[in-house]
Amino acid sequence: MEKPLILVTNDDGITAPGIRKLISIAKKIGEVYVVAPDSPQSAMGHAITINSTLHIEEMKLKGGAEFEWSCSGTPVDCVKIACDKILPRHPDLCISGINHGSNSSINVIYSGTMSAAVEAAIEGIPSIGFSLCDLSYHADFDAAEDFIEKIILQALKNKIQKSWVLNVNIPKLKKSKIKGIKVCRQAHAKWDEEFEVRKDPRGRDYYWLTGKFVNLDQGEDTDEWALENGYISVVPVHFDLTNHQAIGELNQWGF
Amino acid sequence: MEKPLILVTNDDGITAPGIRKLISIAKKIGEVYVVAPDSPQSAMGHAITINSTLHIEEMKLKGGAEFEWSCSGTPVDCVKIACDKILPRHPDLCISGINHGSNSSINVIYSGTMSAAVEAAIEGIPSIGFSLCDLSYHADFDAAEDFIEKIILQALKNKIQKSWVLNVNIPKLKKSKIKGIKVCRQAHAKWDEEFEVRKDPRGRDYYWLTGKFVNLDQGEDTDEWALENGYISVVPVHFDLTNHQAIGELNQWGF
């Protein structure tokens, strides 16, 4: 049987330890093409490059995949240019990450890692974004390895639907402390902004975006609950943003 | 009764004709604060600025609002800094646009205009994004004026829920040709990428993102159908990206 074709991308850049680990896992399972940003692109959301140009560059990295390309654009640009210019055929799966830091609950919407995965699904490529809840560059990705491999194999075995996206977050725990994998919904949460104001050398104010994460959701079926309780969370995500439940009420406004 | 406090933003930049029209409409209805990008930020999606700093600048523009600020960041940054540093109290409504170009169907996910509206809802501010299906800088926004005012007034009168976002798209038609307003769902559509390759002066390839819009959805309850048939489309949008329908099937994978 032909090996599955797997597209690997991320938002931390092609040399980040998280994607290097994900590539090593993917190579055990399939034929791997890597198309990832040439520089960090965290929090780029679903941005695409329309007012500027893109460069791509074939790369060889030690222990990497046979086919690796860096791209000067955003994570979503990487998926788009991979589909149009790099991949030899429609891939069986796209995997994105392993992100350095959580993409649970509302973070999914700011995340370049998850937006790349969502873009793949828009292109008809089922996809999985992986994130480790540890922002450190030198985070320990080893504990997550077997779980990630298992989730990828399950997705392929169960013929994951073309439009599906899974948002997988892994708690910062030793392997022996991880209790298992839980299917969840996205917790209702937000960031409370606290912009830090400073003075530049010419006396002008400038701002750094900082904030405090606030979980507004007490449910025990959420990704935040799962992570706080030692589980890996898996949230199915989709690109239909319609609030279907609101349609009835909205029709009564009488436009 | 106190006038409603309305936050106005966009992604085409604070001087774009679309937002100037929206400000003039908002001034008829409420107390208006404008916080918008100092330069075009189309297709920035839900990007935020975390690796760089932000500047804001109070502005006075002829015929504008009493309080206007430009911001060096993305549309989502504008909403965040408005909430934390500029607005005198929690606003009653955020309106974003009028975007120069369609944000119907899948475009909602790439759109800075709509991402700003979604961010407002995350902050607990109900919001409406307006887009005119005409990319031209000199598009005629007059035909849309009465409809936009009506939709804003309906939202306030019906006490639009704090977490609600409406995606309003207006066809490029004379006012007399617009048949009315239709509540819709997001059509299933995508862009087929066609990257255009060129050679730079040093002989290196570079790429421009271009593409062809493909509507994959035959439904007559979609925004694409409404727009093609002369209606203004209103799609309720939300920031819970969970594919709730997939949870049951995913639980059967047996993680």
Side-chain angles (χ1 to χ4, degrees), chain A residues 110 193 195 209, chain B residues 7-10 34-37 46-48 54 56 69 71 73-87 90-91 94-96 112-127:
Chain A
Y110 304 102
E193 281 71 40
F195 281 88
L209 174 55
Chain B
L7 170 64
V8 182
T9 190
N10 78 340
V34 181
V35 184
H46 218 97
I48 52 174
L54 295 173
I56 54 176
W69 295 76
C71 169
T74 66
V76 172
D77 290 331
C78 290
V79 173
K80 284 183 176 288
I81 207 160
C83 291
D84 189 38
K85 293 294 177 203
I86 298 173
L87 292 168
H90 194 80
C94 170
I95 54 180
S96 184
T113 296
M114 283 311 302
S115 294
V118 169
E119 180 64 23
I122 294 171
E123 298 276 357
I125 309 162
S127 66

Side-chain angles (χ1 to χ4, degrees), chain B residues 96-110:
Chain B
S96 184
I98 308 168
N99 193 62
H100 295 240
S102 167
N103 281 320
S104 61
S105 67
I106 197 65
N107 299 303
V108 67
I109 216 166
Y110 304 102

Side-chain angles (χ1 to χ4, degrees), chain B residues 21-89:
Chain B
K21 172 60 83 179
L22 193 57
I23 293 164
S24 74
I25 299 169
K27 280 169 66 183
K28 294 193 257 177
I29 298 169
E31 183 187 0
V32 178
Y33 274 71
V34 181
V35 184
D38 63 10
S39 61
Q41 296 278 334
S42 290
M44 282 304 280
H46 218 97
I48 52 174
T49 303
I50 57 168
N51 293 318
S52 183
T53 60
L54 295 173
H55 287 91
I56 54 176
E57 193 87 56
E58 192 162 10
M59 301 187 70
K60 279 279 169 234
L61 284 158
K62 204 180 149 190
E66 197 174 347
F67 305 101
E68 298 208 22
W69 295 76
S70 70
C71 169
S72 60
T74 66
V76 172
D77 290 331
C78 290
V79 173
K80 284 183 176 288
I81 207 160
C83 291
D84 189 38
K85 293 294 177 203
I86 298 173
L87 292 168
R89 63 182 193 279

Side-chain angles (χ1 to χ4, degrees), chain B residues 97-253:
Chain B
I98 308 168
N99 193 62
H100 295 240
S102 167
N103 281 320
S104 61
S105 67
I106 197 65
N107 299 303
V108 67
I109 216 166
Y110 304 102
S111 163
T113 296
M114 283 311 302
S115 294
V118 169
E119 180 64 23
I122 294 171
E123 298 276 357
I125 309 162
S127 66
I128 315 175
F130 295 99
S131 305
L132 178 64
C133 299
D134 184 350
L135 265 176
S136 161
Y137 187 81
H138 300 290
D140 175 17
F141 292 98
D142 289 340
E145 180 157 358
D146 290 349
F147 291 105
I148 290 173
E149 186 176 349
K150 182 176 171 181
I151 291 168
I152 295 171
L153 289 171
Q154 287 274 23
L156 292 168
K157 194 185 96 186
N158 287 283
K159 301 196 190 314
I160 179 173
Q161 291 182 34
K162 282 196 306 183
S163 61
W164 275 27
V165 186
L166 304 182
N167 181 17
V168 178
N169 282 273
I170 301 150
K172 183 185 170 181
L173 290 173
K174 285 192 187 139
K175 192 178 164 187
S176 61
K177 297 285 184 195
I178 295 179
K179 288 189 195 150
I181 299 168
K182 261 206 192 314
V183 178
C184 312
R185 62 175 175 83
Q186 173 185 327
H188 183 204
K190 61 164 294 208
W191 286 87
D192 265 351
E193 281 71 40
E194 292 166 353
F195 282 89
E196 198 180 307
V197 58
R198 298 189 180 182
K199 289 245 182 262
D200 74 15
R202 283 164 294 163
R204 198 174 154 222
D205 286 341
Y206 67 96
Y207 298 86
W208 282 104
L209 174 54
T210 72
K212 218 172 48 223
F213 181 75
V214 188
N215 184 2
L216 305 163
D217 199 325
Q218 302 306 310
E220 299 195 352
D221 55 347
T222 71
D223 48 4
E224 288 305 321
W225 187 92
L227 291 163
E228 277 161 28
N229 287 276
Y231 293 92
I232 292 172
S233 65
V234 180
V235 176
V237 160
H238 61 173
F239 52 82
D240 176 10
L241 305 191
T242 310
N243 181 356
H244 289 277
Q245 290 182 317
I247 286 181
E249 191 177 329
L250 202 50
N251 266 315
Q252 286 168 13
W253 284 12

Side-chain angles (χ1 to χ4, degrees), chain A residues 1-6 8 19-33 63-66 93 95 98 141-153 156 175:
Chain A
M1 203 185 99
E2 202 180 13
K3 275 182 149 188
L5 179 64
I6 302 176
V8 182
I19 195 172
R20 304 320 302 171
K21 172 61 84 179
L22 194 56
I23 293 164
S24 74
I25 298 168
K27 280 169 66 183
K28 293 193 258 177
I29 298 169
E31 182 188 0
V32 178
Y33 274 72
E66 196 174 348
L93 190 70
I95 54 180
I98 307 168
F141 292 98
D142 288 341
E145 179 157 358
D146 290 350
F147 290 104
I148 290 173
E149 186 175 349
K150 182 177 171 182
I151 291 167
I152 296 172
L153 289 171
L156 291 168
K175 191 177 165 185

